Amino acid sequence: LGRMRPVIVVHGGAGRVFKEREQGCRSGVVRAALRGYQVLKGGGSALDAVEEAVRSMEDDPHFNAGCGSVLNERGEVEMDAIIMDGKNLASGAVSAVKCIANPIKLARLVMEKTKHMLLTDHGAQLFAQAMGVPEIPGEKLVTERSRERWKKNLEPDSNPEEFQKDLGTVGAVAIDSEGNVACATSTGGLSNKLVGRVGDTACIGSGGYADNCSGATSTTGHGESIMKVVLARLILYHMEQGMSPEMAADSALEYMKTRVGGLGGAIVVSSSGEWAARFSTKQMSWATVKDDELHYGINAGEKHTKPVDEALISESEGF
């Protein structure tokens, strides 16, 4: 069998990354990409790799997913996540889940242990209990920064829209040595959102899509806009029409901007192992590993490259 060379691409959310958080976001996406790549190098599946990469970012308080998620109008964390297998189009998702550390793990369990694709809120919680997923106190997921922002947004003259610019959904896409693709996306959603709000992340075709025939993508940005154009599926549609991952992402993002005024970003890997990380927002933290080379960036046009071995050493020493 012609073995594919594995590729992983991750994003830490499109939007505005504040100066004092840049370093943390950069090292966070690099760490996630390296972890996912080690899974692939060890012969692991694309599915395992994207789950591992996203779990790494859920555990990192720099990102709006898992610990560090933004708070809803009541000051609680409610999280959405999705995972999808390009081999058979199997997918699992959860929405509005509370009190668990890693929604992406629960999404994977929904995919593998139920006949369903999306479980929400209380039902997702019951399923988590049945699966023996440990519950943690909701406060454990709340960071000082999220609480500060929540309070600011409650002020009568505040404009939560202004604060949505650093959205910070996290995601990963990969292709493994068997040529299977997968995607995973996880988020805390919008700051001060209504209780029970579900964004694009939990919705198949919007927050992510994976199909071995074309590739895999994970999106980030304004959720309601992403849902209106079904962004992830639109990107893969463009690729089915013969566009490169970069052109497909750019075209879909441009359409979302002109049609509904929405900004966002996407990471893509094609079934032949080409990749792209594109965004229409000011910034998006991203990292990718292919052929034992790590690439990463945050600003438009920014791309750093270093050998994986070197990156792993600095990673183990802490950036």
Side-chain angles (χ1 to χ4, degrees):
L1 271 173
R3 308 283 280 173
M4 277 297 302
R5 289 185 308 214
V7 183
I8 184 149
V9 196
V10 306
H11 71 73
R16 183 178 57 192
V17 180
F18 294 104
K19 266 285 176 274
E20 73 275 8
R21 303 180 62 75
E22 258 188 41
Q23 199 44 49
C25 286
R26 243 191 215 102
S27 46
V29 289
V30 165
R31 183 179 307 121
L34 290 171
R35 283 188 180 167
Y37 192 64
Q38 284 176 299
V39 170
L40 295 170
K41 281 298 264 194
S45 66
L47 214 47
D48 288 341
V50 294
E51 182 185 355
E52 177 55 32
V54 165
R55 191 196 56 76
S56 163
M57 291 184 284
E58 285 177 341
D59 292 344
D60 186 331
H62 281 95
F63 302 109
N64 174 18
C67 176
S69 289
V70 299
L71 311 185
N72 67 14
E73 55 177 356
R74 278 198 208 143
E76 306 161 329
V77 165
E78 283 188 326
M79 301 166 292
D80 297 347
I82 194 168
I83 194 165
M84 187 165 180
D85 184 348
K87 193 171 19 184
N88 55 2
L89 307 188
S91 177
V94 292
S95 76
V97 293
K98 304 182 181 83
C99 303
I100 61 165
N102 298 110
I104 200 64
K105 285 188 169 169
L106 192 55
R108 174 112 187 228
L109 287 168
V110 170
M111 175 172 85
E112 292 180 346
K113 305 289 186 199
T114 78
K115 292 192 176 71
H116 308 312
M117 291 174 71
L118 173 56
L119 290 181
T120 187
D121 199 355
H122 183 57
Q125 186 193 345
L126 292 175
F127 174 66
Q129 285 165 358
M131 289 290 117
V133 174
E135 264 194 40
I136 60 170
E139 298 76 73
K140 275 244 162 75
L141 298 170
V142 178
T143 58
E144 194 46 48
R145 176 171 174 264
S146 299
R147 191 167 292 294
E148 282 305 299
R149 175 193 297 190
W150 173 70
K151 282 196 194 127
K152 268 211 178 80
N153 286 344
L154 289 179
E155 291 164 11
D157 58 348
S158 86
N159 174 14
E161 291 301 304
E162 193 38 47
F163 283 94
Q164 298 311 355
K165 294 201 169 76
D166 54 331
L167 290 164
T169 300
V170 306
V173 294
I175 186 165
D176 59 30
S177 57
E178 307 282 305
N180 292 313
V181 298
C183 71
T185 313
S186 180
T187 190
L190 290 177
S191 190
N192 296 61
K193 62 190 179 177
L194 296 180
V195 169
R197 179 260 189 185
V198 177
D200 65 294
T201 299
C203 301
I204 188 170
S206 293
Y209 202 80
D211 182 348
N212 280 6
C213 299
S214 47
T217 179
S218 167
T219 65
T220 166
H222 184 246
E224 281 71 15
S225 298
I226 290 171
M227 290 157 94
K228 287 173 189 174
V229 302
V230 199
L231 185 64
R233 193 64 192 83
L234 181 59
I235 292 169
L236 291 186
Y237 168 76
H238 284 320
M239 282 161 65
E240 288 159 7
Q241 305 300 303
M243 281 189 196
S244 69
E246 189 163 300
M247 275 188 67
D250 285 350
S251 306
L253 287 166
E254 182 55 33
Y255 176 72
M256 183 167 86
K257 191 169 157 182
T258 52
R259 187 70 180 87
V260 297
L263 300 180
I267 50 171
V268 190
V269 67
S270 75
S271 50
S272 60
E274 289 180 275
W275 64 274
R278 309 294 293 169
F279 48 98
S280 54
T281 51
K282 245 189 136 98
Q283 289 155 311
M284 180 179 81
S285 53
W286 62 272
T288 185
V289 184
K290 180 180 181 176
D291 294 335
D292 290 317
E293 280 217 314
L294 164 76
H295 309 276
Y296 60 97
I298 286 189
N299 300 301
E302 175 192 355
K303 181 168 153 185
H304 306 281
T305 303
K306 57 164 99 162
V308 161
D309 298 346
E310 193 185 306
L312 284 168
I313 293 162
S314 50
E315 164 62 25
S316 61
E317 291 164 358
F319 277 73

